Amino acid sequence: MKKIYGNIRISDYTYDLPPERIAKYPLAERDRSRLLMWDGSNISDHIFSEFPALTDRNRLLVFNNTRVIRARLFFRKESGATIEVFCLEPHYPSEFSLNLASAGPVEWKCLIGNLKRWKGGTLLSRFIHGGKEYILTAGRTGTEGDTFIVRFSWNDSTISFAEVLECLGHMPIPPYLDRDDEESDISTYQTTYARVNGSVAAPTAGLHFTPALMGAIDSAGIERAEVTLHVSAGTFRPVKSELICDHMMHSEHFFVSRQTLELLRDRKTTAVGTTTVRTLESLYWLGISYSEGRWPSDGIPSVSQWEPYEKECDTDPVIAIDNLITALESRGSEILEARTDIIIVPGYRFRMVHGMITNFHQPHSTLLLLVAAFTGDSWKDIYNHALSSGYRFLSYGDSMYLTPRLKNKSRLR
C-alpha cells in the first residue's frame, strides 16, 4: 500500500481557513445558503434553493436518512468535577435500534472527557421525564481500542435508553464550532428528513434541504432514494500522520434497502454528502467481495480501508449491485447491513457516484481528500473561489455541487 500511495502527503491538502469564515450558526432559512457549482471545468455561484433547476433530472438523488442522537452525557461528581461521556457506538446490544429501544442496562463504546478525575466507581445523573425524576448510572467495564466501554442503567424499565438520551443528552456539535451546544442545535443540527437514530455527527450536506425544496425536487421529476449510514465521531478525527497511508480510517455502520439497490442499478447518482458517497462506493466493493466468496458466513460484511486499491477491478457496477441483490435473496432479507472503513483519496476511481453535494471541509482532513479524489487538482480552484467569494465554511456553512460532465471517463463509469 505504501508503494502505491506513499507519496500522498496530507500537507499537500490544506488551505488557510480564517476562524471568522467558520459558520458557528446556520442561516435562519436553510435553503438560502449559497451553493457553488462545479461542472468539471467551470465554477458558478447560486443559492441552494435553485438546486432543482441545476441538476440533471435523470440523476438519482441519494440521501443519508440517519438521525443524530444526543450522544454527549455530563456527570458531576461530589467533588464538583464534571465528567463528559460521549457515546460513540453501541457495544451491547450492538445493534443500534435494539440498544436505543432497550429498557434495561446497555453498554456503549465511549470517549471520556476529564478521565483523570474518574478513577473508578459509578457516576450518577438525575433527570426529569414526564414529571418524574430518574437516575442514570454510568460505570466503566473495559476498553476497546481507544474507547472505553461504559455500562448505563437507570431506575425505571418503562423508559428506553433513547428517551434517556433525549432527556439528558446534549447534541454532539463539532468541536471546531468552539461553543457549547444550544437549544437551537436540537433542530438545526439535524436534517429535515432524518429518520433512523444512530449518528453522533450530522450528514451536514443535507442540512440545506427543506420540506419545500424536497417538494420542488419531486415536482421537477427528480427521483430520490435513501441510505442509512450512522456517522461516527471519526469524521472529525484529524489526520496526524504525514503520509496518508499511515492514517487509520474510522469504521461506520450502514444499511441499504433492496428497493434502493434496484434504483441504483439503473441510474447514475448524485450523492448528498460524503457519508452517502462512502456508502455508495462501498456497495460496489461489497458486490465484488460477495462474488469472490469473501463474506462471513455469520455476521455482517465489511469493506476494509485499502480494499479498493489492492487490485484492479473493472467489473461493471450493475453486476456488483446484482450481486448484492442476490446476496439479499439468499439471506431472505430486504435490507443490506454492512460496515465500511473505506478511505477515498486521489487516485480512487469512482464507480457509483457521478455527482455530489457537500459542504466545505477542514484543511488536513480525509473529507478534503475525498473531494480532491473527485475533482482532481480543481479542488484548489474551488476552495480559492469560495474563500475569495465570501462563502461560509464547515458544518453550518455553505455547500458545493460537484457535477462533472459524464465524458470525463477517468472518474466516472
Side-chain angles (χ1 to χ4, degrees), residues 160-179:
S160 66
F161 189 59
E163 290 173 293
V164 172
L165 291 178
E166 288 292 312
C167 292
L168 195 58
H170 291 250
M171 288 298 279
I173 61 173
Y176 51 65
L177 293 185
D178 195 28
R179 64 174 176 82

Side-chain angles (χ1 to χ4, degrees), residues 386-405:
L387 286 165
S388 63
S389 302
Y391 279 76
R392 302 160 70 245
F393 279 62
L394 307 188
S395 293
Y396 275 147
D398 298 314
S399 62
M400 52 183 147
Y401 176 30
L402 309 175
T403 176
R405 297 186 182 93

Side-chain angles (χ1 to χ4, degrees), residues 251-254 281-290 294-296 298-308 310 324 331 336-342:
S251 181
E252 290 174 319
H253 206 132
F254 70 88
E281 290 299 319
S282 295
L283 290 176
Y284 177 84
W285 296 103
L286 285 171
I288 300 304
S289 64
Y290 179 78
R294 292 191 285 113
W295 280 26
D298 55 357
I300 63 174
S302 63
V303 180
S304 64
Q305 176 167 331
W306 295 109
E307 184 173 339
E310 290 172 351
L324 295 179
R331 294 186 170 198
L336 170 66
E337 178 183 359
R339 297 193 70 91
T340 183
D341 299 357
I342 193 172

Side-chain angles (χ1 to χ4, degrees), residues 200-245:
V200 298
T204 55
L207 297 180
H208 306 277
F209 289 85
T210 63
L213 183 56
M214 298 292 265
I217 288 169
D218 293 340
S219 296
I222 301 166
E223 197 159 12
R224 50 191 173 98
E226 294 182 350
V227 297
T228 303
L229 179 140
H230 292 315
V231 190
S232 76
T235 193
F236 301 126
R237 181 184 296 166
V239 179
K240 295 182 178 180
S241 54
E242 174 58 25
L243 297 178
I244 196 61
C245 61

